[in-house]
Amino acid sequence: MEPAHRGLGRCTCCFWLAVTFDTVGLLVLLLGVFVNVFFYDLLIYAGAIIIFLSLIWWVFWYSGNIEVLAAELEDDVGLLKKDRVGLGGAVRRLSSRVSTGIRNSFRRNGAPSGRAQRSRAVPPEPQQTGQVAVAMATMAPDTSVSPEETREVDMPPAGT
């Protein structure tokens, strides 16, 4: 038998966090409105943002307290009744047979599954222990350009 949840429900932590965020946000916002400081706009925006962030905790509290009957959950979490008949039961049986057949055919053909497949796929290459020599040389800038080649080119004016 499930314990009876009274008052705040199951997620009391989320409830109190939401109330705390609302209270702190409102205090910061009211400080920004009524206290004469040069950073009042920062306080107003910060208070509004804190109040907005409290919505996250309210959503967590609300969604954590939603009650769903087991009869409504049976399709969603795999609590299907075995004696189902009709088109839905036939489709489920067919789907189960096809997926089981495909799964078994992979096992019969010797195809490894999961971790064994990854570990046997490619043998590791032996590591090289020697050093590799890299040749490096410095390059001097090319100064063979004549002054005539470096003159500016006249461009026609761009029209708009």
Side-chain angles (χ1 to χ4, degrees), residues 57-102:
W57 298 112
W58 285 118
V59 168
F60 283 168
W61 176 74
Y62 179 78
S63 61
N65 285 312
I66 294 175
E67 305 254 346
V68 180
L69 300 175
E72 294 176 16
L73 277 178
E74 70 182 17
D75 285 339
D76 295 335
V77 294
L79 299 175
L80 296 173
K81 296 177 183 175
K82 299 294 181 189
D83 59 346
R84 280 211 172 159
V85 291
L87 183 61
V91 169
R92 284 190 184 90
R93 283 192 301 274
L94 177 66
S95 171
S96 175
R97 286 181 187 164
V98 169
S99 63
T100 304
I102 291 172

Side-chain angles (χ1 to χ4, degrees), residues 109-149:
N109 292 336
S113 63
R115 251 185 226 163
Q117 182 178 9
R118 286 190 292 265
S119 64
R120 284 192 251 160
V122 177
E125 295 181 12
Q127 294 182 354
Q128 297 179 354
T129 57
Q131 294 182 351
V132 178
V134 178
M136 297 179 71
T138 57
M139 303 283 293
D142 186 16
T143 58
S144 63
V145 179
S146 65
E148 292 85 30
E149 294 175 5

Side-chain angles (χ1 to χ4, degrees), residues 13-23 54-55 57-58 61:
C13 180
C14 291
F15 175 82
W16 289 115
L17 277 169
V19 169
T20 303
F21 270 56
D22 279 338
T23 305
S54 77
L55 290 175
W57 298 112
W58 285 118
W61 176 74

